[in-house]
Amino acid sequence: MTGGPLLIAHRAGNDPAGVAPAVAAGADVIEIDVHMTGGRLEVRHPRRAGPILWDRAGVAWAARRRLPRLEEVLERMPPGSTPMLDLKQGPARLAPAALAACRDRGFAEVTVASRRWELVDALRDAEGVRVVHSAAGARELARLLRRPGDLRPRVVCARRDLLGEEPVRAIRAHAGTVMTWPVDDAGDAARLAAWGVGGLICDDLGLIARLAARRRR
């Protein structure tokens, strides 16, 4: 196939060592989970760096014992690659600070996403920035699609189990572009592409490599 959805490597940028394999696999975009703590732009998925970490990413972080900084991850990304900053916990200045870190390292194109919509709202008119409003539940998605006027989303990232052919059509009519996560197999990726989904967020770099190879045919 030619063209097709953006291929986004889910959390690949949460470890600096994960950037090169994701780029080599053919990912168009490298996702990075970003928090701000004490003015530092920290890269991690767990909400807090406390004694209890609830997911596998948290256990991996605990084993590392040192949180990478966003700047450290960006330095591993080759020219022409695109970071996707998934903004998590932190003050309002998290968004402009994260974007500034990308600009300082020469990234002209940046994707910025969050379920904290007020964070990405602040970057709506920034040049070269794709702003993504995310939703992980049905009520959250419905609330997002009710946003009026200047707050209306341009790109919506909805969790995979919220989507079907009709929901995708409805979101595209309202927002224009749809992304989704997680995408786990090639058949589902083809189905989503046929529905008009414009961005697939995948954990499996092997799947990204297969989809990228198909796209080049």
Side-chain angles (χ1 to χ4, degrees):
M1 65 181 182
T2 59
L6 287 173
L7 303 176
I8 303 161
H10 193 208
R11 304 181 189 173
N14 286 6
D15 183 338
V19 172
V23 171
D28 301 300
V29 179
I30 308 298
E31 189 199 30
I32 310 167
D33 292 322
V34 185
H35 301 244
M36 178 175 271
T37 304
R40 292 166 52 94
L41 294 169
E42 296 178 345
V43 172
R44 57 185 163 90
H45 185 262
R47 278 193 172 186
R48 58 189 293 270
I52 301 176
L53 297 168
W54 295 101
D55 62 9
R56 208 176 308 173
V59 174
W61 169 81
R64 277 201 309 270
R65 294 184 178 274
R66 188 186 73 82
L67 293 173
R69 298 183 66 172
L70 175 59
E71 296 86 349
E72 183 181 350
V73 175
L74 294 174
E75 287 167 1
R76 297 287 190 97
M77 295 186 63
S81 57
T82 302
M84 176 172 171
L85 311 177
D86 191 352
L87 304 181
K88 299 294 189 180
Q89 299 299 307
R93 69 180 185 277
L94 167 59
L99 179 59
C102 293
R103 297 295 197 222
D104 288 347
R105 283 151 187 83
F107 290 96
E109 302 293 327
V110 181
T111 297
V112 183
S114 187
R115 291 176 64 194
R116 293 179 58 196
W117 305 329
E118 73 280 3
L119 291 179
V120 293
D121 284 343
L123 302 179
R124 290 177 71 93
D125 297 322
E127 186 176 355
V129 177
R130 178 190 292 114
V131 170
V132 180
H133 292 74
S134 300
R139 291 183 181 178
E140 188 178 29
L141 178 59
R143 191 169 71 251
L144 177 58
L145 296 181
R146 288 196 299 268
R147 298 186 99 204
D150 290 344
L151 296 179
R152 183 171 177 166
R154 298 167 185 164
V155 183
V156 168
C157 186
R159 201 176 62 199
R160 173 64 186 93
D161 60 4
L162 301 176
L163 297 184
E165 187 171 5
E166 289 302 320
V168 169
R169 184 178 293 116
I171 295 170
R172 292 184 69 199
H174 187 88
T177 302
V178 185
M179 295 180 174
T180 191
W181 91 97
V183 180
D184 297 323
D185 65 74
D188 195 39
R191 187 178 308 114
L192 290 161
W195 292 344
V197 173
L200 308 177
I201 302 176
C202 309
D203 291 285
D204 184 353
L205 295 185
L207 174 59
I208 287 178
R210 292 193 296 276
L211 296 175
R214 288 185 192 178
R215 192 168 57 184
R216 290 192 293 268
R217 293 174 189 166

